[in-house]
Amino acid sequence: MSRSCLAVILAAGDSTRMKSSMSKVLHPVANRPMIAHVMAAVASAGMTDAALVVGRDAEKVAKAGSIDEISVKSFLQTERLGTGHAVLAAREAIAQGFDDVLVAYGDVPLITAAPFAAAREKLAEGADVVVIGFHTDKPFGYGRLLVENGELVAIREEKDATDEERKVTWCNSGLMAINGRKALALLDKIGNANAKGEYYLTDLVEIARAEGGKVVAVDAPETELTGCNNRAELAVIEKLWQERRRHELMVSGVSMIAPETVFLSFDTQIGQDALIEPNVVFGPGVTIDGGAVIHAFSHIEGAHVSAGATVGPFARLRPGADLAEGSKVGNFCEVKNGKVGEGAKVNHLTYIGDAVIGAHANIGAGTITCNYDGVNKFETRIGANSFVGSNSSLVAPVSIGDGAYIASGSVITEDVPADALALGRARQEVKPDRATLIRERALAIKAAKKAGK
Ligand code: UD1
Ligand code: CA
């Protein structure tokens, strides 16, 4: 589309119904602030200019909404006088002159590129105002689309609606497209004579019609247009987001046994033929390559798992965990800022932090890299094909050479050369018959106590 377009995103509201110490649009969905989701949708719709209207928590909201994919200019709405007033906070941007002006709300975070495109198409066909509506069986709180003779004649807010109007189930999503050449003139006509005493953007429908303008409504799926006004709605939005992304991943070739128990982040990438078992949580920054297996109850963030690697059950991968092909991190293991080499095995009950493990090394059960002295962090290097016996503590900074062998139960504080055996534990002593003596003495004490009573 060669028409120029400005997206105006409203995010200045006080969020009173969220009952929160921070602005609603900063609350995360899939570990990303709501406002960033809206901005990403704007960017994916091919729009290049965005005006973000901020008020409460202005700086934080501006920052959260400034995503890499699009150039965003923030405008401060100093008083919260309603959505119509909020759009005019971006007057300077609108006045630059665009063919299309699109308005979206920062608290409608499931939106995708499709409704933006549909609205712009109607503008291109000559509409002056385009409203994106949706049908719902829970219309409470939304503005209702009022239709006469098949034409959208007004949007009525919940508080201003009659009982009859409240029964209408066709709702305003908040996404509106306006002829950019007429936008300012129309917006300047919005008044505040309504139940809330606010300047309602939705009044544009009646205003444009009164001037003989063309107003149309376009439908989009409810699942994309659900708004968030309180925590319960936030949870619904999270659920819808998760369902949508799981579905996308599954149809792209990822297996999930119980998808409803898998939680993804906004940027979780999973390759074809990966298997995700039940109850797996992905924090931000995770890439799982094709064919990897994530066993049940694993928690993964900021990590990369290569093809053919397996994780869990009950594993925790923290930021900087990088598992090479065919490697294995098993039950009750934690890896933080650690590279696990190709085919290396960290099977049970182990902490790997700030470490590099070479290919095909075997890390025994209960191994701990002691990476922290209470002030600084240090690195552990474990060579390829080495074998670390169970219950060893590797006190960093320390390096274990390729092919070395660490006796189990060792506390390793000095570097171990390649192919060496290191023992860092007390030598075993065996005292014949001493157990019998100890037992007899114990029994004698017990008998004496009993006799004394
Ligand atoms: C609004 C719509 C309603 C629609 C619903 C969709 C109006 C008058 N009503 O109602 O028709 O069905 O969204 O979810 O537009 N904001 C500002 N400055 C303000 C007021 C609001 O920036 O002065 C922002 C808020 O941060 C929010 C968005 O505008 O992101 C919507 O505001 P909100 O108060 O949630 O409107 P609703 O009552 O939900
Ligand atoms: Ca809202």
Side-chain angles (χ1 to χ4, degrees):
M1 217 182 284
S2 58
R3 295 168 63 93
S4 64
C5 181
L6 172 73
V8 181
I9 310 302
L10 306 189
D14 292 323
S15 321
T16 36
R17 288 170 282 179
M18 283 297 272
K19 309 229 187 298
S20 174
S21 60
M22 69 174 180
S23 162
K24 167 167 63 185
V25 299
L26 293 173
H27 282 260
V29 171
N31 284 314
R32 186 184 213 190
M34 234 184 265
I35 187 65
H37 284 273
V38 178
M39 284 302 178
V42 167
S44 73
M47 292 180 258
T48 48
D49 292 274
L52 176 58
V53 178
V54 295
R56 183 177 179 186
D57 293 335
E59 266 173 43
K60 284 182 189 158
V61 172
K63 192 161 174 269
S66 297
I67 61 166
D68 291 343
E69 299 95 299
I70 186 168
S71 106
V72 182
K73 206 166 172 236
S74 293
F75 295 87
L76 187 68
Q77 186 194 19
T78 45
E79 285 176 290
R80 250 66 76 208
L81 301 179
T83 49
H85 180 261
V87 176
L88 282 171
R91 180 186 293 275
E92 195 188 296
I94 300 168
Q96 283 175 8
F98 291 86
D99 296 316
D100 304 345
V101 170
L102 262 80
V103 182
Y105 294 170
D107 65 347
V108 184
L110 297 172
I111 192 139
T112 67
F116 288 112
R120 293 188 66 192
E121 210 176 290
K122 291 292 174 196
L123 288 183
E125 287 167 19
D128 293 307
V129 172
V130 184
V131 172
I132 302 289
F134 64 99
H135 293 274
T136 176
D137 53 8
K138 293 187 203 73
F140 179 81
Y142 291 110
R144 309 299 207 283
L145 303 192
L146 306 184
V147 179
E148 272 170 30
N149 303 322
E151 285 185 24
L152 176 67
V153 294
I155 302 175
R156 190 78 72 237
E157 292 307 300
E158 177 84 33
K159 281 203 170 146
D160 299 294
T162 62
D163 287 347
E164 208 51 38
E165 287 168 344
R166 288 201 176 112
K167 287 183 190 145
V168 172
T169 55
W170 199 21
C171 294
N172 173 30
S173 69
L175 177 59
M176 193 182 274
I178 313 165
N179 176 330
R181 310 293 166 190
K182 299 183 183 172
L184 280 181
L186 290 170
L187 288 162
D188 277 327
K189 294 207 170 77
I190 296 176
N192 65 350
N194 52 52
K196 280 181 158 177
E198 285 187 356
Y199 294 84
Y200 290 164
L201 177 65
T202 46
D203 285 355
L204 276 197
V205 170
E206 284 160 284
I207 292 167
R209 282 178 62 89
E211 301 201 339
K214 191 177 168 203
V215 176
V216 294
V218 176
D219 263 328
E222 180 185 3
T223 45
E224 287 192 20
L225 300 175
T226 303
C228 177
N229 293 312
N230 58 42
R231 312 274 180 151
E233 289 171 0
L234 179 62
V236 170
I237 284 169
E238 179 77 39
K239 180 171 177 277
L240 290 169
W241 189 95
Q242 293 291 339
E243 280 169 1
R244 182 162 87 193
R245 183 69 185 132
R246 288 177 199 128
H247 184 80
E248 278 172 10
L249 287 171
M250 288 188 284
V251 296
S252 77
V254 175
S255 280
M256 295 186 195
I257 297 168
E260 67 283 5
T261 67
V262 172
F263 288 86
L264 304 159
S265 280
F266 70 100
D267 58 351
T268 306
Q269 298 295 332
I270 308 180
Q272 195 177 313
D273 285 319
L275 167 64
I276 314 298
E277 288 189 355
N279 296 298
V280 172
V281 176
F282 293 97
V286 174
T287 304
I288 308 291
D289 292 348
V293 176
I294 312 297
H295 291 294
F297 294 98
S298 294
H299 190 285
I300 303 178
E301 63 183 315
H304 170 228
V305 177
S306 302
T310 68
V311 175
F314 296 98
R316 179 164 185 213
L317 302 184
R318 291 172 51 203
D322 191 353
L323 277 51
E325 286 190 20
S327 64
K328 195 173 169 192
V329 172
N331 46 278
F332 307 107
C333 293
E334 173 178 338
V335 180
K336 185 221 74 172
N337 185 30
K339 284 192 172 19
V340 180
E342 200 180 316
K345 291 193 176 77
V346 184
N347 271 335
H348 346 256
L349 300 153
T350 289
Y351 173 62
I352 299 296
D354 304 309
V356 179
I357 300 174
H360 304 288
N362 192 309
I363 310 298
T367 299
I368 305 287
T369 54
C370 309
N371 59 327
Y372 186 47
D373 62 6
V375 180
N376 294 301
K377 302 257 167 76
F378 300 96
E379 193 183 57
T380 302
R381 300 191 77 86
I382 301 173
N385 300 302
S386 60
F387 185 97
V388 177
S390 297
N391 200 32
S392 294
S393 300
L394 310 176
V395 182
V398 73
S399 162
I400 291 159
D402 290 353
Y405 206 108
I406 307 298
S408 62
S410 291
V411 177
I412 298 296
T413 55
E414 284 164 30
D415 289 355
V416 178
D419 296 315
L421 164 67
L423 296 105
R425 65 190 190 206
R427 183 171 288 278
Q428 182 171 327
E429 284 182 60
V430 177
K431 300 180 192 287
D433 292 327
R434 182 66 69 84
T436 312
L437 278 173
I438 292 170
R439 190 160 43 241
E440 280 168 359
R441 197 169 61 198
L443 287 168
I445 292 170
K446 193 175 179 186
K449 269 190 185 166
K450 214 175 169 186
K453 268 192 191 157

